[in-house]
């Protein structure tokens, strides 16, 4: 697992690599893999509690291992990790077996790889009008086919819960037709029943410097709705994930995430809500409106550094209330710690305080899986 630096358009990942660490090779049988990876995932009665652990964990292997072990008892049921590098699916499976409890599933996000690629190839992405760059994005994702099989082989059940995809490069160098074609192709892959979630990032807004600058949410929803209408059964695997901070950055407002969650829910496509903070002024995380996964503000001492975050308990509750009626697969947090050299206990304290706020809102908002 790797830690994620500030993900801004045109900047490469600077902390860690896309490769993961672990120990022994998988010993599961091919027959087990085929049956487990091809099984139908039924999902939980309530959404999984998700943690973007790679963003919060220390960068050194020993610190990361201690951090992951310390998550026991926090109720985490899914961990978000970056897309593995090509050829490293076996290494990722070894890492999962070495570090994660059997009940914890994986959610893979393609955003670190996407931003790293965009730094040198501005036309890269699933919506690219350049067939070569679109093919490169699909080839990067192809590692997931091997990963899903290896994870299922180890666990005897599907363990890749979801894949977060992105509509890069967005308007100008991309087209919605290309995005549709890419999603059609990925949907046809055997990923062990994993959900394919289009994680909405801030859209390109005229006169506003973007963090990501991909397609607007309503365009992403329209593409997904067209696929659901055209491809029988696809509605059970496709959906939208809303990252609170990225929506706030797009709209320069704490209201935008609520509006985005409500729009995705009303379209019948909301599958995940992930809480990252954002700020309208400078914070220890950096300048205003940076996509830096600020922790929520709150009374817990672990959240003292994030007092300037627009995200707090009231915003979390209101956002989840806007999700009522949606079939949610995951709800959780993706935050980072300050100072950057915070030790393991300080990082665990941030995770504990942030997850507690989400768990309390889930209970208070009576949010389930539809």
């Amino acid at each position: 697992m790797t830690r994620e630096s500030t993900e801004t358009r045109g900047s490469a990942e600077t902390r860690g690599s896309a490769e993961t660490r672990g120990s022994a090779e998988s010993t599961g049988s091919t027959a087990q893999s085929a049956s487990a990876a091809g099984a139908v995932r039924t999902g939980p009665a309530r959404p999984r509690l998700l943690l973007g652990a790679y963003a919060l964990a220390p960068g050194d292997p020993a610190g990361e291992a201690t951090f992951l072990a310390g998550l026991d008892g926090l109720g985490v049921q899914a961990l978000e990790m970056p897309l593995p590098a090509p050829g490293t699916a076996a290494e990722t499976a070894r890492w999962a077996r070495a570090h994660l409890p059997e009940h914890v599933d994986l959610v893979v996000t393609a955003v670190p790889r996407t931003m790293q690629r965009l730094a040198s190839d501005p036309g890269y992405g699933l919506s690219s009008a350049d067939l070569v760059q679109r093919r490169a994005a699909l080839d990067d994702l192809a590692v997931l086919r091997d990963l899903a099989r290896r994870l299922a082989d180890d666990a005897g059940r599907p363990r890749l819960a979801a894949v977060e995809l992105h509509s890069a490069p967005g308007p100008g160098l991309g087209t919605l037709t290309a995005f549709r074609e890419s999603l059609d192709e990925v949907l046809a892959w055997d990923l062990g029943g994993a959900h394919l979630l289009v994680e909405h990032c801030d859209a390109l807004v005229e006169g506003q410097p973007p963090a990501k600058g991909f397609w607007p949410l309503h365009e992403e929803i329209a593409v997904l709705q067209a696929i659901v209408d055209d491809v029988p059964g696809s509605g059970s695997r496709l959906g939208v994930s809303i990252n609170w901070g990225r929506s706030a950055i797009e709209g320069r407002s704490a209201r935008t995430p609520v509006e985005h969650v409500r729009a995705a829910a009303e379209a019948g496509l909301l599958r995940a809500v992930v809480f990252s903070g954002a700020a309208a002024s400078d914070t220890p995380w950096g300048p205003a409106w940076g996509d830096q996964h600020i922790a929520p503000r709150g009374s817990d001492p672990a959240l003292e550094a994030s007092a300037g975050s627009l995200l707090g308990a009231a915003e979390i509750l209101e956002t989840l209330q806007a999700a009522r009626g949606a079939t949610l697969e995951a709800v959780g947090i993706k935050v980072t710690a300050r100072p950057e050299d915070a030790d393991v206990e300080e990082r665990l304290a941030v995770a504990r305080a942030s997850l507690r706020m989400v768990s309390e809102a889930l209970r208070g908002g009576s949010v389930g899986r539809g």
Side-chain angles (χ1 to χ4, degrees), residues 16-33:
S17 69
E19 299 178 355
T20 52
R21 300 171 286 273
S23 53
E25 178 61 68
S26 170
T27 57
S29 69
T30 302
Q32 282 180 318
S33 172

Side-chain angles (χ1 to χ4, degrees), residues 167 175-184 198 215 217-230 238 269:
S167 61
T175 72
L176 293 170
T177 297
F179 190 44
R180 161 72 194 262
E181 291 173 356
S182 294
L183 293 178
D184 280 334
V198 173
W215 289 97
L217 179 63
H218 72 273
E219 299 280 21
E220 295 170 340
I221 287 175
V223 170
L224 291 176
Q225 286 178 321
I227 296 175
V228 171
D229 290 343
D230 295 344
L238 285 173
L269 290 167

Side-chain angles (χ1 to χ4, degrees), residues 1-24:
M1 183 179 292
T2 63
R3 291 175 64 200
E4 172 184 29
S5 66
T6 301
E7 294 164 349
T8 54
R9 192 173 182 85
S11 67
E13 292 300 308
T14 59
R15 195 175 298 152
S17 69
E19 299 178 355
T20 52
R21 300 171 286 273
S23 53

